[in-house]
Amino acid sequence: MLDLITREQWQGRRPREVTRLTVAPDGVKVHYLAGTVSPELVHDHRLCVDLVQEVQGWHMDGRGWNDTGYTALVCPHRAVFEARGPWVLPSANGSGLNAGHYALACLLGEHGLVTPPQGMLDGLADGIRWLRAEGGAGRDILGHRDGYATECPGDPLYRVVKRWQREGLPPAGPVRVPPFARILKYPPLMTGDDVRTWQQQMRRRGWAIGVDGKFGPASKAVAAAFAKEKKIVSISGQVNKAVWDAAWLAPIT
Ligand SMILES: [Zn+2]
Ligand SMILES: [Zn+2]
């Protein structure tokens, strides 16, 4: 299931200029970020958001592009960060190669995080399906190095790209809900990794919530508002199993 994070949600800057595509691209080209990507990313989705913002800065201020060069970026948590989006010309594929394919980047480097975690591959497949459905993308699944002199997207990811190009995309698997350990409530203050996991997911859904692993009054308020919005039966402000599961399974509205 596609977990799309819009530019507004990741607090991206507005593009200086947008060039619309008038002809549907043949497919997608897959990229990595090169350089070093911290392996800590895997444990903290906030770092993904920071990195997506940084990439936009490198591209707009460093390279002087109108926007992030990519169509979208994919993180280890199966999230797809919308950058230029469907039906907009990317700039990351290289001169003369941008109208032919959308540009999808994985938050991977040459050092640090170099092997795509499963969540990233699921997100990449979601992103490709999204661009086929919403952007008219054709069947091509290629790497940046196809037709351009670069190592991008790195050997581990390129092997996956080659396999998908040959065999087609893997089926869209269900979203994996992290195990529910206990009812979260306040008071007294509960702390733990499960609290952090839930807070992180609520933040991804667009709620203004701190990710500190402490279930206090602010978390309680978000839990109450979310359960009410989704019409889930729970004691107000408590995260029971139904409220927990809905954080991953309910559509984001
Ligand atoms: Zn590239
Ligand atoms: Zn992430």
Side-chain angles (χ1 to χ4, degrees):
M1 195 175 79
L2 176 68
D3 180 5
L4 186 69
I5 303 186
T6 64
R7 182 190 299 267
E8 289 70 30
Q9 286 171 333
W10 61 264
Q11 296 176 318
R13 289 154 60 181
R14 306 202 67 77
R16 296 194 187 102
E17 204 181 306
V18 173
T19 305
R20 308 283 302 171
L21 289 169
T22 49
V23 177
D26 295 333
V28 302
K29 284 192 173 168
V30 176
H31 297 252
Y32 70 171
L33 301 184
T36 301
V37 171
S38 168
E40 284 303 304
L41 214 69
V42 172
H43 306 292
D44 191 347
H45 182 66
R46 284 173 302 175
L47 298 176
C48 305
V49 180
D50 292 348
L51 186 52
V52 167
Q53 292 172 350
E54 270 177 49
V55 169
Q56 188 180 35
W58 301 336
H59 286 185
M60 292 184 76
D61 304 328
R63 301 190 180 213
W65 289 345
N66 290 326
D67 192 1
T68 303
Y70 307 116
T71 304
L73 302 91
V74 181
C75 84
H77 310 100
R78 201 177 177 169
V80 177
F81 291 81
E82 185 171 33
R84 298 199 183 199
W87 294 109
V88 175
L89 186 72
S91 66
N93 292 336
S95 181
L97 298 170
N98 288 306
H101 295 87
Y102 288 117
L104 268 179
C106 288
L107 301 188
L108 281 184
E110 295 156 280
H111 308 286
L113 186 61
V114 296
T115 305
Q118 186 58 45
M120 182 177 278
L121 296 180
D122 291 341
L124 182 61
D126 290 343
I128 293 170
R129 277 187 285 268
W130 166 62
L131 289 171
R132 287 176 177 176
E134 302 292 328
R139 308 306 291 178
D140 277 1
I141 304 172
L142 302 174
H144 187 189
R145 63 171 73 170
D146 291 310
Y148 191 88
T150 174
E151 287 297 302
C152 182
D155 289 340
L157 184 55
Y158 190 62
R159 277 194 284 277
V160 175
V161 167
K162 293 295 276 185
R163 189 170 72 236
W164 288 358
Q165 168 76 356
R166 207 169 51 235
E167 299 170 5
L169 283 178
V175 171
R176 276 174 278 270
V177 179
F180 172 76
R182 54 180 177 164
I183 291 175
L184 305 178
K185 57 187 175 183
Y186 174 85
L189 191 73
M190 293 173 79
T191 60
D193 284 343
D194 55 344
V195 175
R196 180 182 294 276
T197 299
W198 176 82
Q199 288 172 328
Q200 196 159 277
Q201 177 63 13
M202 295 311 286
R203 182 126 126 182
R204 281 172 62 188
R205 298 186 66 100
W207 294 84
I209 185 172
V211 182
D212 58 3
K214 298 183 182 120
F215 196 90
S219 291
K220 179 180 178 173
V222 167
F226 174 67
K228 187 162 177 245
E229 180 190 302
K230 298 298 176 196
K231 301 185 171 60
I232 303 165
V233 178
S234 67
I235 297 170
S236 183
Q238 292 194 4
V239 179
N240 62 14
K241 174 113 177 30
V243 176
W244 176 274
D245 287 352
W248 281 270
L249 300 176
I252 297 176
T253 45

